Amino acid sequence: MLWTPLLAIASAAIAVEIPFFFFGTPSGHDLEFHLYSWLEVLSQWKQGIVYPRWAALAHFAYGEPRFVFYPPASWTLGALLSTIFPWPGASAVYIWIALVASGVSMFLLTRRGLDRPNAIFAAVLYAANPYHLVIVYWRSAFAELLASCLVPLLLLSVLKAVDEGRRAVFSRSIMPLALVLAAAWLTNAPAAVMIHYSLALLLVFFAWRRRSSRPLLMGAAAVGLGALLSAFYLLPAIYEQRWINIAQAVSAGSRPEDNFLFIHTADADHDKFNRIISWVAVLEMGVIFALAWMTRRWREIQRELWDALFGWAVACSVLQWAVSAVLWKVLPKMQFMQFPWRWLLCLSMIFSFFVASAFGAAGMRRWWWRAAVCAISMLVVVMAWHRIQPPWWDNAGDFREMQDNMEDRVGYEGTDEYTPSGADPGALNNEKDKNVRSVTVAGPARAAIRVSRWDAESKMFTAEMSAPDQLALRLFRYPAWQAKVNGRVVQTASTETGQMLVPVETGINRVQLTFTRTGDRVVGGWISLIALLSVVVWNLRARRRPA
């Protein structure tokens, strides 16, 4: 029965959120980014935009193409929860769902090699592991938290793929792994990079261990299919990077070299958090390596899996220390993971598996042993709370302010790496001013301007001009924006700050701006649709074949 483990996992997720009832909602590093994204998506759904691309109120209503580049899973789920639950509680429900999902996926994995009680224990420990607590209370990295449920499914899919025979290879081996990889791209890009490197490590291990290239071929096919299925997001995110300041993603403070374990920088608050995450990493590394010898009996039964997990743990551990700096510079896309301690997402799964397997090998079945281990693992986080840096908290008033900023169209701070190229939000002096006009005249001409529509992806207004001039819009210029004046497409320009300029003539000008579907989005959408239909047809045909 699945009800027992599900109840245990759900209870652990509720226990993680008990401080919420006393202090409010943890206001971690990324909280406002995610919550404003949810509100933005929710407002665009009301406008009939099913899949938003342009965050209209970012940079205090000048906008940015946030949803082109940030994967859709987390902001879609967050916006959906915001329509169902009261706004201050939506984030707590999201966290609970993400923790439960991670525990369930861990239970599905551990049932493969552990007995039922220890599989439940591993699932509960993974749901409430120390790194998850850091994400919840200090980081508010909701997309990364949601991606944690994919790490156990990755290992489970790899084990099934390498153990399957030659029959039904695609439907039973390659496709589940491809779905996990596609889900990773659609959930969190740094986690997807991490998962793909982990997949490569695991497949190389199994190919070497079994003296067969078959795992590598299946892995390559799964990587390709996963990319095709997620092409509607992945292709535009890759192609349109040339149109934004993507290099800001690895600016000072967010570079790997600034975030190795126990590193020191000029930012005191940065170093405080780094100490918290460093001690959590040391705890998990120490427990894994200390318990390795205790699982020797289990290792004789599941030697191949034990070796794979141990090798994976070693790789995750090494990559968090400064000694691996050269790898972060050489390996493709590794630098865009930004924080080496993000490898704790994988290490925490291995940590939970090793602790549970050690209990099974030692024959410890009493519940209080398991409770003691959970309490000890959380003690490091509690000590960090009191001794290094307590979390920050938001109350109902803070959440109301976010809603007011959206309803009044004041907007919110944007993201440096998603800012359109050539735009300089810091140079604009009208931030947070809801009285700033959407359209003004850039030159000396006089104009009577009437705005009839100013939605996220469609803007319409008329301008009766006394002379030819340019109109300055409260909108950053981006290649996907198409401007028409009196039904004719015109070439836009931009100010030094990136503000869009539209040329107009003497007399009445009817101006329409549309956020168009660029070629990369069209191609990406068709690729994903064809790949999905192919998978469905293949599965239907496979089911009709005799076993």
Side-chain angles (χ1 to χ4, degrees):
M1 290 292 291
L2 187 60
W3 287 111
T4 301
L6 186 59
L7 181 60
I9 295 166
S11 300
I14 292 175
V16 168
E17 295 187 327
I18 287 177
F20 290 19
F21 296 100
F22 301 96
F23 300 101
T25 302
S27 181
H29 303 154
D30 297 342
L31 182 71
E32 288 196 358
F33 172 87
H34 287 287
L35 295 191
Y36 273 123
S37 295
W38 298 0
L39 290 173
E40 181 83 63
V41 172
L42 191 58
S43 68
Q44 295 194 31
W45 282 353
K46 295 176 182 178
Q47 298 172 22
I49 303 170
V50 178
Y51 191 135
R53 298 285 190 171
W54 182 261
L57 294 179
H59 296 295
F60 302 102
Y62 284 88
E64 68 180 18
R66 170 178 302 193
F67 303 119
V68 173
F69 303 97
Y70 205 84
S74 65
W75 48 258
T76 300
L77 176 59
L80 182 61
L81 293 175
S82 300
T83 65
I84 301 172
F85 298 95
W87 169 237
S91 59
V93 177
Y94 178 101
I95 292 170
W96 183 85
I97 290 175
L99 294 178
V100 170
S102 66
V104 170
S105 66
M106 188 67 179
F107 177 76
L108 296 176
L109 169 66
T110 51
R111 282 298 287 145
R112 186 180 176 92
L114 301 176
D115 59 20
R116 184 179 175 84
N118 283 307
I120 295 175
F121 170 54
V124 169
L125 181 59
Y126 182 58
N129 74 74
Y131 184 56
H132 280 178
L133 298 182
V134 172
I135 292 179
V136 169
Y137 285 99
W138 281 276
R139 297 196 59 217
S140 299
F142 290 156
E144 186 176 338
L145 185 65
L146 187 62
S148 65
C149 71
L150 300 175
V151 180
L153 296 181
L154 170 71
L155 180 57
L156 181 61
S157 300
V158 168
L159 294 176
K160 287 186 175 181
V162 299
D163 288 343
E164 286 289 344
R166 293 184 178 276
R167 301 177 67 179
V169 170
F170 177 80
S171 60
R172 297 177 59 182
S173 301
I174 296 176
M175 190 184 67
L177 184 55
L179 291 176
V180 172
L181 298 177
W185 283 122
L186 298 178
T187 304
N188 183 251
V193 173
M194 191 188 322
I195 283 174
H196 277 73
Y197 273 111
S198 297
L199 172 65
L201 178 66
L202 291 170
L203 292 178
V204 167
F205 169 81
F206 283 111
W208 167 77
R209 193 62 175 265
R210 301 191 177 191
R211 302 295 190 270
S212 171
S213 61
R214 187 167 171 272
L216 298 178
L217 297 176
M218 289 193 303
V223 169
L225 180 58
L228 293 176
L229 289 171
S230 57
F232 72 93
Y233 154 74
L234 199 55
L235 184 60
I238 294 172
Y239 181 81
E240 296 187 26
Q241 284 184 11
R242 68 194 71 189
W243 299 342
I244 60 172
N245 297 324
I246 192 62
Q248 292 297 316
V250 286
S251 59
S254 298
R255 301 171 299 183
E257 55 263 37
D258 297 328
N259 292 280
F260 288 115
L261 300 187
F262 296 107
I263 205 75
H264 292 285
T265 67
D267 188 337
D269 288 335
H270 175 280
D271 289 355
K272 286 181 180 179
F273 174 77
N274 185 270
R275 286 203 299 275
I276 293 174
I277 204 72
S278 297
W279 283 114
V280 168
V282 168
L283 165 71
E284 295 195 359
M285 293 176 195
V287 169
I288 288 173
F289 296 121
L291 292 179
W293 70 272
M294 294 180 61
T295 59
R296 287 174 296 179
R297 188 176 68 180
W298 176 76
R299 182 187 179 190
E300 295 304 320
I301 302 173
Q302 297 277 356
R303 184 181 184 89
E304 189 177 56
L305 177 58
W306 191 97
D307 290 343
L309 285 171
F310 190 76
W312 193 5
V314 170
C316 293
S317 300
V318 171
L319 286 170
Q320 295 181 59
W321 297 92
V323 68
S324 66
V326 64
L327 296 177
W328 287 87
K329 295 180 179 179
V330 172
L331 295 177
K333 299 300 180 182
M334 276 280 283
Q335 62 174 335
F336 286 101
M337 280 181 58
Q338 299 174 307
F339 314 120
W341 39 258
R342 268 187 165 141
W343 280 99
L344 283 169
L345 199 69
C346 296
L347 196 68
S348 295
M349 187 276 293
I350 304 169
F351 162 80
S352 303
F353 205 128
F354 266 69
V355 172
S357 64
F359 270 70
M364 294 184 290
R365 298 182 177 274
R366 297 181 182 274
W367 68 267
W368 56 269
W369 277 106
R370 299 184 178 93
V373 169
C374 291
I376 293 173
S377 66
M378 294 180 184
L379 184 60
V380 170
V381 177
V382 174
M383 292 179 63
W385 183 324
H386 288 282
R387 296 293 183 90
I388 301 177
Q389 186 182 69
W392 307 272
W393 303 93
D394 277 352
N395 54 37
D398 298 314
F399 285 92
R400 281 196 301 272
E401 182 180 359
M402 293 183 189
Q403 288 182 304
D404 292 342
N405 288 340
M406 297 295 292
E407 292 173 0
D408 296 339
R409 302 193 65 80
V410 173
Y412 51 91
E413 289 185 6
T415 312
D416 292 340
E417 59 263 34
Y418 302 148
T419 302
S421 297
D424 185 5
L428 298 171
N429 297 321
N430 48 13
E431 293 181 354
K432 299 184 181 182
D433 187 354
K434 64 181 179 182
N435 296 316
V436 174
R437 299 179 62 184
S438 299
V439 185
T440 56
V441 181
R446 296 191 304 271
I449 299 172
R450 180 178 177 272
V451 177
S452 57
R453 184 174 185 177
W454 201 265
D455 291 341
E457 296 186 356
S458 179
K459 306 177 190 299
M460 298 177 64
F461 58 91
T462 59
E464 187 173 356
M465 307 294 299
S466 63
D469 210 322
Q470 290 180 316
L471 299 177
L473 311 185
R474 193 174 188 181
L475 180 69
F476 282 139
R477 187 169 182 260
Y478 191 73
W481 282 107
Q482 182 188 79
K484 290 184 178 180
V485 178
N486 295 328
R488 181 173 56 88
V489 176
V490 298
Q491 183 66 37
T492 62
S494 62
T495 65
E496 294 180 355
T497 59
Q499 192 174 358
M500 185 184 293
L501 297 174
V502 178
V504 289
E505 301 294 335
T506 304
I508 296 178
N509 296 267
R510 296 177 178 84
V511 183
Q512 180 178 4
L513 285 95
T514 307
F515 196 76
T516 59
R517 285 177 57 84
T518 52
D520 52 281
R521 294 176 213 162
V522 174
V523 173
W526 277 108
I527 290 174
S528 293
L529 181 59
I530 293 171
L532 181 60
L533 291 176
S534 301
V535 167
V536 171
V537 170
W538 185 284
N539 274 276
L540 291 176
R541 293 183 60 186
R543 289 183 179 181
R544 294 174 182 174
R545 295 172 185 167

